[in-house]
Amino acid sequence: MTQDRATGWTGRVVRLRMEGPAHGGEFVARHEGRVVFCRGGITGELVDVLIDDDPGRAFCRGTVQAVVEESPDRVVPTCPAAAAGAGCCDWTHIASDAARGFAGRILAEQVYRIGRIAYRDDAVPVEVPAADPATSGWRTVARWVTGPDGVPGVRRARSRELVTEPCIQPDPRLRDAVSATTLGPGREVLGVLGDDGMVHIAHRPAVGDTPRGRSGRSRRSSATRARARHSRAAGWEIVAGGPTVVRRVGGHEWRLPPDAFWQAHRSAASHYSHEVRTAVTRTPDLTDIPEIWDLYGGAGLFAAGVRDAIPGARVTVVESATASLHAATDTLGGPPGDPAGGRVRTLRSRVETFLEDRDDRPADHPDPEVIILDPPRGGAGIPVMRRLAATGASRIVHVGCDPASLARDIGVLVAAGWTLTDLHGVAAFPGTHHVEGIAVLDSPGRS
């Protein structure tokens, strides 16, 4: 009887008082013993919420329909796509400074709940990338999907439906170029703006609808599997700009295919390069010729910055993506064993395999003094972090693009006796709840 009364709220409108932000960007409220995750609210507000997703559990989800008592942090939303229901700019209704504060609270909460780390403050400080204040037009890599009429759009929140109103994130040059290109229906469109000003456009068949499970986790897992299958099944057809994107940071130039990973925010790559370089050079008792591992190293962005700051450093970049590793090799150095002195070594391998095999190749891969890792959204994982904790490194610098996975990863190190020396966030996706983190940890006995 209680279960029947407590669930089945889809379509109801309830008046709620907003509490704190949750991982994922919604704000929490409570009603009749259930948690309601609300899209479009702000802490402290009294709002009317339409329940639009009730999985029949102790929680449900809704969207704010009207604000009865408004927060002083509320501003006029600026993204037409989000206003039409897209899942892109979910926090443009929150003033930028306040949004960074909420993001810092989410990061601190994840570190405490998942990492089991008693963080010293209620919120982690969150920075603007390279002091770039842009709240629109900052994205240099973006994707769209064309509908049956061939018009490009973005997905509606928690839906496969398309919204064709423009999102404010992409650089206007990308939006204009994609809008002017006729690609036909059912296409996934990739737009990339190089640092030389060249716009690159590519497309391929769009991923079909993914099965909708009862929970958000099952839907995300299905979507992840579908994207992986799609990535293996079909390559990109380039229709504008050519096959090589130019990227520049700190006097270095990389040439990458359009679909190779690079930071989406126009200022994020330079910001992360500076932050990682600073963390490495400040490692206690760092030698003049340190051994440094750059794991999940991509095109070698961090390796380049470290080598600039410490010319004698021996840096090994470990990356499994062929295109990115080729770019790292072309820009920075050669493969392991290359006799040319002072060059960054590049190794195509999964990080797990590299760690498993390293004991068999001590001459090629001596113990590192510093480890840098920038894993994908799912993080490095517990087994990898346990192996890194036992390498003998003095410092680990972890760049995490998801608060939960970052918290889990660094929690493994803290449980092994490591000290969390520094933690701060980066608002690399303005107007959204998404926050990335940089954690610096020192091995037991160091500070």
Side-chain angles (χ1 to χ4, degrees):
M1 180 68 68
T2 302
Q3 181 71 8
D4 292 341
R5 178 172 55 83
T7 61
W9 290 2
T10 302
R12 286 182 57 180
V13 175
V14 293
R15 182 160 292 183
L16 304 171
R17 178 72 68 179
M18 293 293 97
E19 299 177 16
H23 179 48
E26 297 154 313
F27 283 74
V28 175
R30 302 175 196 278
H31 186 67
E32 296 182 5
R34 301 184 75 194
V35 173
V36 184
F37 295 100
C38 303
R39 176 182 169 87
I42 304 176
T43 296
E45 290 187 329
L46 185 66
V47 297
D48 290 335
V49 176
L50 171 64
I51 306 300
D52 49 28
D53 182 15
D54 188 345
R57 300 178 181 179
F59 69 92
C60 57
R61 286 185 161 83
T63 302
V64 172
Q65 302 295 296
V67 180
V68 180
E69 295 179 9
E70 185 175 285
S71 166
D73 296 324
R74 181 172 285 274
V75 296
V76 177
T78 55
C79 179
C88 49
C89 302
D90 57 343
W91 275 16
T92 57
H93 65 290
I94 307 175
S96 296
D97 289 348
R100 290 195 296 275
F102 288 131
R105 288 179 58 185
I106 291 172
L107 188 49
E109 182 182 60
Q110 297 299 299
V111 165
Y112 175 73
R113 288 180 178 272
I114 298 177
R116 306 299 184 189
I117 300 170
Y119 189 71
R120 61 183 178 273
D121 298 317
D122 293 333
V124 174
V126 177
E127 306 169 341
V128 175
D132 184 343
T135 56
S136 64
W138 48 265
R139 182 180 275 277
T140 65
V141 180
R143 300 195 186 202
W144 294 262
V145 176
T146 60
D149 55 1
V151 176
V154 293
R155 299 291 188 189
R156 188 178 298 277
R158 302 194 297 270
S159 171
R160 302 296 297 177
E161 297 178 1
L162 291 183
V163 171
T164 56
E165 283 80 357
C167 174
I168 62 171
Q169 292 181 14
D171 186 288
R173 289 168 286 183
L174 282 181
R175 294 200 303 263
D176 293 346
V178 169
S179 297
T181 304
T182 302
L183 299 172
R187 309 300 294 179
E188 182 182 4
V189 185
L190 171 65
V192 182
L193 176 65
D195 291 336
D196 58 352
M198 178 69 71
V199 173
H200 304 258
I201 300 176
H203 67 105
R204 64 184 178 183
V207 177
D209 289 347
T210 56
R212 291 180 64 87
R214 287 181 61 84
S215 72
R217 175 174 294 181
S218 66
R219 288 197 294 272
R220 288 192 295 271
S221 298
S222 296
T224 299
R225 290 193 296 271
R227 284 193 295 270
R229 290 194 301 270
H230 181 56
S231 178
R232 291 192 297 267
W236 293 97
E237 178 183 347
I238 299 171
V239 295
T244 303
V245 179
V246 174
R247 297 297 191 182
R248 299 181 180 126
V249 174
H252 297 278
E253 181 173 284
W254 289 263
R255 294 181 175 271
L256 295 155
D259 61 333
F261 174 77
W262 194 262
Q263 295 293 336
H265 192 292
R266 66 191 186 191
S267 299
S270 60
H271 180 85
Y272 286 127
S273 176
H274 172 76
E275 292 290 307
V276 169
R277 181 174 68 246
T278 299
V280 171
T281 57
R282 293 179 179 175
T283 300
D285 303 321
L286 190 69
T287 65
D288 293 335
I289 309 176
E291 182 74 23
I292 297 172
W293 291 353
D294 184 4
L295 308 183
Y296 312 94
L301 172 67
F302 300 150
V306 169
R307 282 283 298 150
D308 289 344
I310 312 173
R314 297 188 296 258
V315 185
T316 298
V317 176
V318 180
E319 172 59 48
S320 61
T322 301
S324 294
L325 195 73
H326 283 170
T329 302
D330 292 344
T331 300
L332 303 175
D338 191 315
R343 302 177 74 177
V344 172
R345 297 175 293 179
T346 57
L347 177 63
R348 183 176 182 272
S349 172
R350 296 177 68 247
V351 169
E352 295 86 346
T353 304
F354 169 74
L355 294 175
E356 290 169 0
D357 293 347
R358 60 179 288 270
D359 292 336
D360 298 329
R361 295 178 292 180
D364 289 342
H365 304 288
D367 285 343
E369 289 187 49
V370 182
I371 299 171
I372 306 163
L373 64 156
D374 183 13
R377 190 167 183 80
I382 293 174
V384 166
M385 297 309 299
R386 284 176 175 167
R387 290 191 69 103
L388 296 183
T391 57
S394 298
R395 171 164 285 189
I396 293 178
V397 183
H398 189 311
V399 181
C401 59
D402 177 75
S405 58
L406 172 65
R408 179 205 61 216
D409 286 354
I410 65 176
V412 173
L413 296 178
V414 171
W418 288 62
T419 300
L420 180 60
T421 302
D422 182 56
L423 175 65
H424 56 277
V426 183
F429 295 82
T432 80
H433 72 275
H434 186 71
V435 62
E436 305 197 339
I438 302 176
V440 180
L441 298 102
D442 287 336
S443 61
R446 296 175 180 270
S447 62

